[in-house]
Amino acid sequence: MIVLFTDFGLADPYVGQMHAILAQEAPGKPVIDLFHAVPGFDIRAGAYLLPAYAQGFPSGTVFICVIDPGVGSARQPVMVRADGRWYVGPDNGLFHILARRARECETYTIRWRPIQLSASFHGRDLFAPVGASLARGDMPDSAPTTLTMPEGSTWADDLAQVLYIDHYGNGITGLRASSLTRNQRLKIGGQILEHARFFADVPPKTIFWYENANGLVEIAVNQDSAATRLGLQIGDSVIVV
């Protein structure tokens, strides 16, 4: 199958245009819209969300990943094969955490180019056709390479920040729950949060943290919005106490 992971949103035509290319180039292959609401231009948020949400997919799955504020620049297009799954996208740090955590990982720079390549939509013109080729079992013209290190400070193994807020108002962080013990508390928005196993484990309107279905620490309120109650915003720091 082919899985899409982008910051495109669903209000614009971009996701549909990628689906159109995939339908032409890989007919009959299922296409899953996993994430189109990664915070815009936020490569680091995507880098921590991707390995958590990709882990449930079977070997052979092809992920087309586009958080690409440098589209059209000198950054290279790459294919990463990590633990049996393929990932296609820009070499801008998006695959950095995924590759670090993988047991087996190979990286290839994509040498193939379409006849027409726009300067601003490599998701449609380059990454979608390459992903379709991999889904068909074909290897596009490529060469082994290594991933470029992300710019800026060293990226930690876990990121103690809010990376995504879902429509329930839950705050998903870049912390793996396995990095904490259940008696540890979190501080955010001036509040100290205790751990709970699930929503019904606490009274209604109680704020807590729990391990979400993808192994990440999530901040939530039973039957209410943590974003509203705590004033959560993308990028807010979480302190482990």
Side-chain angles (χ1 to χ4, degrees):
M1 71 181 72
I2 299 169
V3 177
L4 300 181
F5 181 94
T6 80
D7 63 351
F8 291 166
L10 293 173
D12 300 313
Y14 313 125
V15 173
Q17 289 178 285
M18 289 185 67
H19 271 273
I21 294 298
L22 294 171
Q24 295 174 46
E25 300 293 331
K29 298 294 183 183
V31 180
I32 308 298
D33 292 297
L34 176 61
F35 236 120
H36 292 303
V38 175
F41 320 115
D42 197 334
I43 297 166
R44 189 167 67 159
Y48 284 90
L49 290 169
L50 179 58
Y53 284 84
Q55 62 185 339
F57 288 86
S59 179
T61 299
V62 177
F63 290 81
I64 301 174
C65 307
V66 193
I67 295 93
D68 194 14
V71 61
S73 69
R75 65 95 186 93
Q76 291 297 304
V78 293
M79 306 180 301
V80 178
R81 183 171 174 81
D83 294 335
R85 306 179 190 95
W86 281 105
Y87 301 83
V88 180
D91 179 23
N92 60 6
L94 182 57
F95 303 128
H96 179 64
I97 301 300
L98 175 86
R100 182 195 294 176
R101 294 179 184 172
R103 297 181 300 275
E104 298 178 348
C105 186
E106 301 172 347
T107 304
Y108 302 85
T109 186
I110 301 168
R111 298 192 297 201
W112 177 84
R113 294 292 186 274
I115 295 174
Q116 292 186 326
L117 177 63
S118 67
S120 60
F121 200 179
H122 288 190
R124 178 195 66 189
D125 298 340
L126 181 58
F127 299 136
V130 167
S133 293
L134 292 171
R136 296 194 311 263
D138 300 328
M139 186 69 172
D141 185 18
S142 58
T145 190
T146 56
L147 289 173
T148 302
M149 292 296 292
E151 295 183 2
S153 59
T154 301
W155 289 9
D157 289 334
D158 291 89
L159 183 59
Q161 288 184 7
V162 175
L163 303 183
Y164 179 73
I165 298 172
D166 70 14
H167 83 278
Y168 293 107
N170 300 335
I172 300 171
T173 77
L175 284 169
R176 288 172 291 180
S178 60
S179 69
L180 304 181
T181 64
R182 299 307 179 253
N183 61 357
Q184 286 183 295
R185 299 180 297 169
L186 302 181
K187 182 177 181 181
I188 186 169
Q191 297 256 7
I192 300 294
L193 312 184
E194 304 280 352
H195 171 261
R197 294 175 298 162
F198 43 80
F199 286 75
D201 210 19
V202 297
K205 311 304 180 183
T206 301
I207 308 172
F208 64 100
W209 75 267
Y210 77 108
E211 179 179 356
N212 74 9
N214 300 284
L216 296 177
V217 168
E218 188 163 323
I219 298 162
V221 179
N222 186 12
Q223 301 177 45
D224 204 350
S225 167
T228 299
R229 291 279 299 277
L230 296 171
L232 295 184
Q233 296 185 21
I234 302 298
D236 281 353
S237 295
V238 178
I239 300 172
V240 180
V241 297

